[in-house]
Amino acid sequence: MRKLLTTLGLMALAATAGTANAQADRHVLSLDDVEITALIDDVSTITGYTFILHPDVGRTRVTVLSRTPMTTNEVFEVFLSTLRVNGFAAIPAGRGVYRIVPEALAVGEAGGAASGPNAFVTQVFTLDSFGAVEAAQMLKPIIDAQGQVVANARSNSVVVVDYASNMPRVREVIQSLDTADRSEVQTVSLSSVPAREMEGILTDLLGTQDGNPRQNFEVTAAQTSNSVIIRGDAPTVARAVQVASELDAAEPTRDNIRVLELNNASAEEIVPVLEKIAATMADQRSPAENAAPPATIAAHVESNSLIISATPDTLLAMERVVDALDQRRAQVLVEAIIVEMSDDTARELGVQFLLSGTGDSTTPFASTNFSRSAPNLLALAGAIIDPDLGGDGDGEGGSNQFTNAAVNSLLGTNGTLFGVGGQDGDTLFGAIINAVEQDTNSRVLSKPFNMTLDNGTSELLVGQDVPLTSGEVLGSDNTNPFRTVQREQVGVKLEVTPRISSDDTIRLDIYQEVSSVDDFIGGGASPDIILNTREFRTSLLADNGEIIVLGGLIEQTDAIVNSKVPFLGDIPVAGNLFKSEGRSNTRTNLMIFIKPTIVRDRGSANAVTARNYNYIRAQELLRGEQAGVSIDTFLDEVLGPVADPE
């Protein structure tokens, strides 16, 4: 029984504590004509927030009376409403920090997301069928006195800055204004004036209102039927139809000459096309219409213009053709990525020995000599036996031929040489061991790239002209020798012709060559040259910005060459003294990738140029040789400051 009473008592105490906490979380505000700073101080104590006050805030007195206890969040909302009534707003300035400023200053800092109904927010409304200027005028009466509404006629949108609690009302009004398309569409067929010309006249005449583009007014030229389609509100469309009809009522024969200025195409290249069209149209006329004079087409090269004199129907047809041909041609940036990695290893081990007699010695002659081993042991022996062999006997008439051969063979050795030798009476003996191991790793990365017009051909060559002997002639008695030489271009070559399809697929006709000087063969003053050449000639399809493999080669070559004395070289262990062995391993990985990028406008060209220009700037900065970037200084001095794209 005692335990039960104790448990009931603890439960009662817990309930009392919970009620006290619940009451502690609710507050009553009762302030009558006090300075607003007193309200701010109480709210700061209740919410724990920090408030930063504008100087104008302290001169305001407020009254807040409540009889019902409120939660902390409700107290803060009442506080924000009180600020709003008195022309102030609270702007978040950090976690738990607010700045209290006049509404006029708060409008300029309104964010996009609402933090409560009494916070200033900014929203953009885009209209489809109603004019933004007219909508802004209708919205001004329903927004707060300190709120703002701005119309953007170009994008047909309105920007509204107001309290979040008023935004649903603003949105509802805009939706009701923009519910239906009240525009009217009219088509006007023309017989005298070209549709493209009429489009420009109507747009210049009726396309603006009070200096701003007129909303819901469009004029589109249909060149095939030589008509204009006019869309807009009924009064504007009616006025445009009247103007178009009056202009088209002129006599067609009054104006049979056109001067067409070209922006992209070449006037000289278009003249033959127009002459063929004019001849075809003349053949299709009836006999009664052949009385008209033939069309005359001329090109003015200096201004890149066409001067056309023809009948009205021929003029209209030629204008359509010129408009279709005089388009800005897209460009293609073609980047080739060449990756070549190779690993060459070689091992050589050879043993040579010599045993010979000199003079009248009866010692037999025995020797081993292998073409892959160096130096030449026989040449060394000849140089040792008689240093003056080939001279006049006193060392002044010439040099020992064996000595020259021995020196040349020593200069051509690689690796390590171990040798013993000497002369014992009339007996000459010697032995040489040559051991060499070579390991070569190489990696070549290059990225040739060039830009060309669509359907144009571009070539890039980065290399050298290497002289190659093509012929050599000696006269009688070896007199009057001469040699003919041709030069071969060695380096990186890239030739490409891109063709862009309607779906941005690019067909590339590519010729790619990578060549280099590998080695020299032959002696003398003009040794022959060995060239390495890797060549690709192909056509392929690639998407815009896609990296695609052009071709490649993966090759591995293993070679073992043994030279030995028959029978003796096969003897275990001791047979190594009678042979020369060479092993070589070559592995080559070569891949070429292509990345085409379509450049249609100025923005794309600037982006491509900036990417490569910034790469060069980054390389200079990484070297850290000097403060600043020399390429910037050079371009500034030579070309001057770059003009603003806008």
Side-chain angles (χ1 to χ4, degrees):
M1 186 66 179
R2 181 176 299 176
K3 291 183 179 180
L4 178 60
L5 292 176
T6 303
T7 302
L8 292 175
L10 292 174
M11 294 176 60
L13 289 174
T16 304
T19 303
N21 290 334
Q23 293 296 331
D25 291 338
R26 306 185 71 84
H27 313 275
V28 175
L29 292 178
S30 182
L31 301 173
D32 185 9
D33 193 23
V34 299
E35 292 185 357
I36 195 172
T37 53
L39 173 62
I40 295 173
D41 185 57
D42 289 346
V43 173
S44 177
T45 302
I46 295 172
T47 61
Y49 295 156
T50 300
F51 298 101
I52 303 173
L53 309 184
H54 188 275
D56 295 341
V57 177
R59 295 189 292 269
T60 304
R61 302 182 70 85
V62 298
T63 298
V64 179
L65 301 175
S66 67
R67 294 291 181 261
T68 304
M70 298 176 292
T71 64
T72 302
N73 291 335
E74 291 173 344
V75 169
F76 188 65
E77 290 299 328
V78 170
F79 171 65
L80 294 179
S81 300
T82 305
L83 293 178
R84 179 176 176 179
V85 170
N86 290 274
F88 298 102
I91 302 174
R95 186 173 182 180
V97 180
Y98 290 86
R99 291 186 294 113
I100 300 178
V101 297
E103 287 181 339
L105 299 178
V107 170
E109 301 186 28
S115 58
N118 295 299
F120 271 105
V121 294
T122 302
Q123 291 195 14
V124 180
F125 300 93
T126 301
L127 300 140
D128 296 325
S129 59
F130 200 82
V133 177
E134 294 84 353
Q137 295 175 353
M138 296 182 179
L139 290 175
K140 285 183 179 179
I142 65 173
I143 66 173
D144 188 82
Q146 296 298 331
Q148 295 183 6
V149 55
V150 179
N152 187 341
R154 178 170 300 180
S155 62
N156 198 36
S157 60
V158 291
V159 181
V160 180
V161 182
D162 201 356
Y163 283 103
S165 60
N166 198 35
M167 278 300 173
R169 182 185 178 193
V170 173
R171 186 179 297 104
E172 182 180 354
V173 172
I174 291 177
Q175 289 176 351
S176 63
L177 293 174
D178 197 40
T179 52
D181 187 359
R182 301 176 179 84
S183 60
E184 183 178 338
V185 179
Q186 289 282 351
T187 301
V188 180
S189 298
L190 304 174
S191 58
S192 302
V193 182
R196 182 71 69 183
E197 182 179 344
M198 183 64 72
E199 176 188 5
I201 293 173
L202 296 179
T203 302
D204 294 339
L205 181 64
L206 303 174
T208 58
Q209 182 180 21
D210 299 331
N212 297 317
R214 185 187 296 272
Q215 298 300 323
N216 300 327
F217 179 76
E218 298 179 13
V219 181
T220 303
Q223 297 187 16
T224 304
S225 61
N226 196 39
S227 306
V228 288
I229 300 94
I230 306 170
R231 174 183 176 275
D233 57 87
T236 306
V237 171
R239 177 60 177 161
V241 171
Q242 180 184 358
V243 172
S245 301
E246 292 176 356
L247 291 176
D248 194 52
E251 181 64 29
T253 59
R254 291 181 182 177
D255 185 10
N256 60 351
I257 297 178
R258 293 284 189 275
V259 178
L260 305 179
E261 297 181 359
L262 304 180
N263 297 319
N264 302 286
S266 172
E268 291 181 302
E269 295 177 356
I270 292 184
V271 168
V273 178
L274 298 182
E275 289 177 343
K276 292 181 180 180
I277 295 175
T280 302
M281 295 184 66
D283 294 339
Q284 295 175 349
R285 293 193 186 99
S286 62
E289 295 176 333
N290 283 332
T296 303
I297 306 167
H300 188 254
V301 180
E302 287 75 9
S303 62
N304 195 33
S305 302
L306 293 170
I307 300 94
I308 305 174
S309 175
T311 58
D313 58 336
T314 303
L315 283 176
L316 292 176
M318 291 188 177
E319 285 183 337
R320 291 197 298 268
V321 173
V322 171
D323 186 69
L325 296 178
D326 190 32
Q327 301 294 326
R328 175 176 177 142
R329 291 171 62 186
Q331 302 178 93
V332 179
L333 174 68
V334 180
E335 299 171 279
I337 305 168
I338 303 172
V339 182
E340 181 177 359
M341 294 177 289
S342 63
D343 184 5
D344 300 337
T345 59
R347 293 179 178 86
E348 297 281 349
L349 179 62
V351 179
Q352 302 178 76
F353 68 87
L354 172 68
L355 178 64
S356 174
T358 60
D360 297 332
S361 173
T362 60
T363 303
F365 175 80
S367 173
T368 59
N369 187 25
F370 304 106
S371 60
R372 297 179 58 87
S373 300
N376 192 317
L377 184 58
L378 297 178
L380 291 175
I384 294 174
I385 292 174
D386 190 355
D388 295 328
L389 184 63
D392 56 2
D394 56 3
E396 297 180 357
S399 60
N400 189 336
Q401 297 176 358
F402 291 107
T403 302
N404 294 335
V407 171
N408 290 333
S409 65
L410 286 171
L411 292 176
T413 58
N414 292 320
T416 302
L417 295 176
F418 299 95
V420 295
Q423 188 172 1
D424 185 8
D426 292 335
T427 302
L428 182 68
F429 63 92
I432 294 178
I433 299 176
N434 178 217
V436 60
E437 179 176 352
Q438 294 179 338
D439 192 352
T440 303
N441 293 312
S442 65
R443 183 181 66 172
V444 178
L445 301 176
S446 59
K447 194 194 82 167
F449 61 95
N450 53 8
M451 183 180 291
T452 181
L453 287 172
D454 182 24
N455 289 307
T457 301
S458 176
E459 297 182 5
L460 172 70
L461 170 62
V462 181
Q464 296 176 322
D465 282 348
V466 178
L468 301 176
T469 301
S470 58
E472 191 171 15
V473 178
L474 292 176
S476 59
D477 299 331
N478 294 333
T479 60
N480 192 26
F482 69 90
R483 179 183 297 109
T484 58
V485 177
Q486 67 178 15
R487 294 187 175 273
E488 183 76 17
Q489 292 180 339
V490 176
V492 178
K493 299 179 184 178
L494 177 62
E495 180 180 327
V496 59
T497 302
R499 294 177 175 85
I500 304 174
S501 62
S502 58
D503 59 350
D504 280 353
T505 301
I506 308 170
R507 173 177 173 172
L508 299 170
D509 296 329
I510 297 175
Y511 172 72
Q512 171 74 61
E513 179 182 318
V514 181
S515 56
S516 61
V517 176
D518 181 68
D519 203 351
F520 297 88
I521 58 175
S526 58
D528 291 331
I529 300 175
I530 299 176
L531 300 180
N532 290 331
T533 303
R534 304 157 187 86
E535 180 179 317
F536 293 90
R537 187 185 299 273
T538 184
S539 297
L540 53 88
L541 291 176
D543 292 327
N544 180 26
E546 177 187 15
I547 298 178
I548 187 171
V549 64
L550 174 63
L553 171 68
I554 299 176
E555 179 183 28
Q556 180 166 338
T557 304
D558 298 321
I560 300 176
V561 179
N562 289 329
S563 300
K564 62 182 179 180
V565 178
F567 303 113
L568 296 179
D570 296 328
I571 299 175
V573 183
N576 293 324
L577 299 176
F578 300 93
K579 66 181 178 181
S580 174
E581 182 178 281
R583 296 175 179 267
S584 63
N585 178 277
T586 302
R587 181 176 179 84
T588 301
N589 293 316
L590 171 66
M591 289 290 175
I592 298 181
F593 303 88
I594 289 291
K595 177 186 177 183
T597 303
I598 299 176
V599 179
R600 295 190 182 276
D601 50 29
R602 182 179 182 183
S604 301
N606 288 339
V608 169
T609 302
R611 172 162 58 88
N612 291 278
Y613 182 81
N614 289 333
Y615 174 80
I616 299 300
R617 296 181 76 252
Q619 292 297 313
E620 291 192 344
L621 291 174
L622 286 175
R623 287 187 301 181
E625 297 178 357
Q626 58 183 7
V629 182
S630 60
I631 188 174
D632 292 340
T633 305
F634 176 77
L635 291 181
D636 222 15
E637 294 175 352
V638 177
L639 301 179
V642 180
D644 188 354
E646 298 298 332

